[in-house]
Amino acid sequence: MTTPHTSALSVLKQVFGYRTFRPGQESVIEHTLDGQDTLVLMPTGGGKSLCYQIPALLLPGLTIVVSPLISLMRDQVDALKVAGVAAELLNSSQPKEQQIAVLNALHEARIKILYVAPERLMQADFLHRVQEWDVQLFAIDEAHCVSHWGHDFRKEYCQLGQLKQLFPAIPVMGLTATADLATRRDILIQLGLQNPFIYQGSFDRPNIRYSQLLKFKPQEQLQKYIATQEGSGIVYCNSRRKVDDVAAKLAAQGINCMAYHAGMESDMREYVQRAFIQDRIDVVVATVAFGMGINKPDVRFVVHVDLPRSIESYYQETGRAGRDGLPAEALLLFDEKDVAKIRQWISENDNPERQAVELQRFAAMHALAEAQTCRRQVLLNYFGEYNAKACGNCDICLDPPRQFDGSEIAQKVLSCVYRLKQTSDSDYVVDILRGKKLAHIVDAGHDQLTTFGIGHDSPDAYWHNVINQLIHQGLLRVDITQRAVLKLTEAARPVLKGEQTVTLAVPRLTMDWQQRAKPERRFYDKRLYARLKHKRKQIAERDAVPPYVVFSDQTLMELADVTPESLTEMLAIYGIGQTKLERYGQEFLDAIQTYLAEG
């Protein structure tokens, strides 16, 4: 008897060429096939797309996928078509004849997966057409865009909550890689998900090495860093002017790069993006406009020349690196002088509520930049994934700062938060610890607290650093829905009671990332791998698709390692399904045999 699991596993192997499910995929697929609403929280590169693509191929009718960017839709459709899946997209940039052809194919039930933008889907005439189709599933990609608490809120996404009202019997799946607790709750409300199955995967991307370098002559630092890297990379800057300047100087140094920002003509932006995806340029220097549409799995490094505005943005942008699971790096150039500029930009927001949320998110990003504890712990803890174990693959772990027993200092802070009844932000807590006789403190009677002035012998910056470390270690959390007040976590209880020690870090000033060892890469024949990459590029240009759509780097590495002798053996290689084997298998097999024959 065939079960949903065996059917899903069969599709995974035969269509997509993968041997096993990644964590969470199987559970999400099974609940979706049972007709249940789902919310999928997985990191970038964690395999979210397969959570709806496999059900789409097993369900009898059509799956509609809501996606925010045309470029992202196009890349997804290109990859699906190469794998033999009947997928299409509808958008305003298509010629009228093409749109009509897609609509005809939909009415004739010849399409399994349709990608649309929210603006198109929620048009009255389009919804009328949807009612005529056999829709089995709605998948809302980048679901954090529906939330006012999300870092990339889009008004167009708000209308998507109507889907459950208009089509109550059709399951809805929300998918996102970047959602904190407040955003997750809001997604459930905004999409109107009914008794959903929620899968929250780990936000950890262990293959990415997170590093920070104190910004000093950043152009020179950037050039030296890129010179040490292999493969494609993205450099993020906070302004269009800086993007143009940095790109021009890198190009003058012989680096194959181009600029990308919203001030460029749309045709030029499209050209740059396609050139990057098709491996015709190595590096893109960009503003955050170069965002969600990047579906290139083999980006090897991401550099932030300027401090991002939020951890969500930083996490998503660094998540462009290493989507294929191979080693990748994320470098942040940090200068305290950038902090005031960004705060000023955020303060120019006319919406007071939005301004407050963005300022708090930036404060968390600022704290990450100043962190003296494992950077991966800071990232994971921000998303509610508390982890007591250091990662061993960030600059702090590889070049650790000096540690000391900070149990008594931690107790002072935690006790102060407790005596303020968990209703004050970090600035107020520091003022109490420092014993500042400010009018609002005296009026509130807080100068009478036992914790008032117990930290008078250390400066404000010291206590802010300690509070940040306690947040990173999961002993405190910041509630952005209540004016960024500090809250104690359950983990703080044994520390307050003296039952558990706390280790804090002495502030560090410098780090030499150049001395750190490169991450290990799997063994394979490098010359054969280069030959297969060349073959892949030839095929990609012939078929007008990105090279990674043909085969991923990981597939080429495994081919160069295993050197299969037949098409049957090639089916066992990661990422080679039946359709790709029929389409490309013989060409790559011939390339391998020719190489081996040359000795």
Side-chain angles (χ1 to χ4, degrees):
M1 177 180 176
T2 300
T3 66
H5 168 75
T6 56
S7 298
L9 189 59
S10 176
V11 170
L12 182 74
K13 292 178 178 178
Q14 293 178 15
V15 177
F16 299 100
Y18 303 138
R19 305 181 187 102
T20 58
F21 287 110
R22 291 188 183 184
Q25 289 177 329
E26 183 182 349
S27 297
V28 172
I29 290 168
E30 289 180 352
H31 282 85
T32 302
L33 292 174
D34 287 339
Q36 191 172 359
D37 290 346
T38 51
L39 176 61
V40 182
L41 300 148
M42 285 184 180
T44 302
K48 291 187 298 296
S49 298
L50 287 178
C51 289
Y52 62 79
Q53 290 172 349
I54 289 180
L57 298 181
L58 292 171
L59 292 167
L62 172 70
T63 289
I64 294 180
V65 182
V66 179
S67 185
L69 293 174
I70 293 173
S71 55
L72 183 55
M73 298 184 211
R74 187 184 296 119
D75 290 344
Q76 293 271 18
V77 170
D78 283 347
L80 286 168
K81 284 184 173 180
V82 167
V85 177
E88 289 291 350
L89 71 153
L90 268 175
N91 66 73
S92 56
S93 70
Q94 294 170 312
K96 198 69 176 177
E97 301 76 23
Q98 187 177 355
Q99 294 185 48
I100 293 172
V102 172
L103 288 171
N104 288 338
L106 286 163
H107 284 294
E108 295 168 8
R110 291 187 282 111
I111 294 175
K112 293 295 293 179
I113 304 178
L114 175 70
Y115 285 80
V116 294
E119 298 90 338
R120 170 67 66 104
L121 176 60
M122 300 313 296
Q123 290 175 0
D125 60 338
F126 194 81
L127 285 171
H128 180 73
R129 291 178 183 270
V130 171
Q131 292 174 336
E132 299 174 359
W133 304 330
D134 182 20
V135 179
Q136 298 284 315
L137 173 66
F138 289 108
I140 315 299
D141 204 5
E142 309 293 351
H144 60 273
C145 294
V146 308
S147 173
H148 284 272
W149 299 111
H151 72 285
D152 195 32
F153 171 64
R154 287 166 61 119
K155 293 180 181 178
E156 303 85 4
Y157 264 65
C158 289
Q159 301 175 28
L160 296 174
Q162 299 174 32
L163 290 176
K164 287 307 294 183
Q165 301 170 25
L166 297 169
F167 308 97
I170 299 177
V172 173
M173 178 187 295
L175 306 103
T176 182
T178 50
D180 58 20
L181 285 170
T183 305
R184 291 172 217 169
R185 296 189 192 109
D186 206 24
I187 291 172
L188 296 176
I189 295 169
Q190 297 296 332
L191 292 181
L193 302 186
Q194 304 296 310
N195 189 30
F197 170 72
I198 301 174
Y199 176 78
Q200 179 183 333
S202 171
F203 284 86
D204 193 11
R205 295 283 304 281
N207 61 312
I208 297 179
R209 173 170 291 178
Y210 298 101
S211 302
Q212 181 204 294
L213 192 61
L214 188 65
K215 192 187 295 187
F216 178 71
K217 297 183 179 179
Q219 190 71 39
E220 183 179 320
Q221 290 173 314
L222 184 59
Q223 290 166 2
K224 288 181 178 179
Y225 178 79
I226 293 176
T228 69
Q229 300 301 306
E230 298 176 3
S232 302
I234 304 171
V235 177
Y236 282 108
C237 304
N238 279 354
S239 71
R240 300 173 186 179
R241 181 178 178 180
K242 183 174 284 190
V243 164
D244 290 334
D245 182 56
V246 169
K249 289 177 178 175
L250 289 178
Q253 291 292 320
I255 294 172
N256 182 17
C257 69
M258 296 188 76
Y260 183 107
H261 56 70
M264 299 163 59
E265 294 293 330
S266 59
D267 289 348
M268 188 59 187
R269 292 201 307 271
E270 175 70 14
Y271 174 81
V272 173
Q273 183 156 316
R274 300 309 293 178
F276 183 63
I277 287 173
Q278 293 169 359
D279 289 344
R280 288 186 278 115
I281 57 175
D282 298 326
V283 178
V284 169
V285 183
T287 61
V288 293
F290 197 65
M292 288 183 290
I294 310 309
N295 195 35
K296 183 175 168 63
D298 56 352
V299 174
R300 299 269 65 88
F301 64 91
V302 170
V303 180
H304 283 86
V305 174
D306 300 310
L307 194 63
R309 292 194 184 197
S310 70
I311 287 183
E312 286 92 345
S313 296
Y314 175 74
Y315 178 81
Q316 189 168 48
E317 289 152 16
T318 57
R320 308 284 167 224
R323 290 170 60 108
D324 53 11
L326 298 177
E329 296 196 13
L331 174 66
L332 171 65
L333 300 183
F334 176 62
D335 185 343
E336 276 288 351
K337 289 184 290 187
D338 293 339
V339 174
K341 296 177 188 175
I342 297 174
R343 284 194 180 127
Q344 182 179 352
W345 291 340
I346 295 173
S347 297
E348 293 171 358
N349 192 315
D350 293 333
N351 184 328
E353 182 183 18
R354 188 69 188 168
Q355 181 189 113
V357 170
E358 289 192 15
L359 282 171
Q360 179 51 45
R361 291 194 188 284
F362 177 64
M365 184 64 226
H366 184 198
L368 168 62
E370 293 184 322
Q372 297 294 308
T373 52
C374 170
R375 297 200 191 279
R376 200 177 311 273
Q377 281 183 311
V378 178
L379 284 171
L380 296 180
N381 289 354
Y382 180 82
F383 291 111
E385 188 178 332
Y386 303 120
N387 192 333
K389 185 178 180 182
C391 75
N393 193 31
C394 73
D395 58 338
I396 298 293
C397 290
L398 293 164
D399 183 18
R402 290 184 293 118
Q403 308 285 322
F404 71 99
D405 185 348
S407 303
E408 184 178 339
I409 290 172
Q411 287 173 339
K412 289 180 179 180
V413 174
L414 298 176
S415 179
C416 190
V417 171
Y418 175 77
R419 294 183 186 284
L420 285 167
K421 300 182 179 178
Q422 304 182 73
T423 60
S424 303
D425 63 14
S426 58
D427 288 335
Y428 197 87
V429 170
V430 170
D431 288 345
I432 298 297
L433 289 167
R434 296 273 287 120
K436 296 181 181 180
K437 287 273 189 178
L438 302 174
H440 62 283
I441 290 178
V442 175
D443 290 345
H446 290 156
D447 58 329
Q448 301 303 311
L449 295 175
T450 57
T451 51
F452 184 79
I454 60 174
H456 65 89
D457 53 346
S458 297
D460 288 13
Y462 175 87
W463 290 110
H464 279 293
N465 182 277
V466 169
I467 288 173
N468 286 336
Q469 291 192 55
L470 296 180
I471 292 170
H472 303 159
Q473 294 189 32
L475 302 177
L476 288 172
R477 69 179 180 86
V478 177
D479 191 339
I480 66 169
T481 66
Q482 295 184 27
R483 307 182 319 283
V485 303
L486 292 175
K487 301 276 190 179
L488 298 171
T489 68
E490 189 60 33
R493 188 186 300 273
V495 176
L496 279 168
K497 290 183 176 181
E499 298 170 354
Q500 182 175 313
T501 60
V502 175
T503 300
L504 296 176
V506 175
R508 53 179 289 150
L509 301 175
T510 61
M511 176 205 52
D512 189 354
W513 52 266
Q514 291 175 310
Q515 299 303 315
R516 289 183 280 123
K518 288 284 184 183
E520 291 185 10
R521 299 176 186 265
R522 61 173 293 167
F523 172 79
Y524 55 90
D525 187 321
K526 301 294 176 59
R527 288 177 56 235
L528 175 54
Y529 174 70
R531 182 84 62 93
L532 296 179
K533 281 192 76 172
H534 180 68
K535 170 60 66 176
R536 179 180 68 177
K537 190 169 186 178
Q538 288 180 323
I539 293 172
E541 290 173 352
R542 180 194 70 199
D543 293 354
V545 296
Y548 68 80
V549 166
V550 178
F551 285 142
S552 69
D553 284 0
Q554 189 169 349
T555 299
L556 298 188
M557 288 178 184
E558 195 164 322
L559 284 171
D561 182 12
V562 176
T563 60
E565 298 180 357
S566 68
L567 292 174
T568 302
E569 289 183 20
M570 285 188 75
L571 262 182
I573 299 295
Y574 173 91
I576 301 183
Q578 190 62 47
T579 301
K580 284 193 176 183
L581 181 72
E582 295 170 0
R583 189 168 294 178
Y584 307 125
Q586 192 61 53
E587 291 181 87
F588 280 91
L589 189 62
D590 290 345
I592 292 170
Q593 291 175 342
T594 298
Y595 173 81
L596 294 176
E598 292 172 356

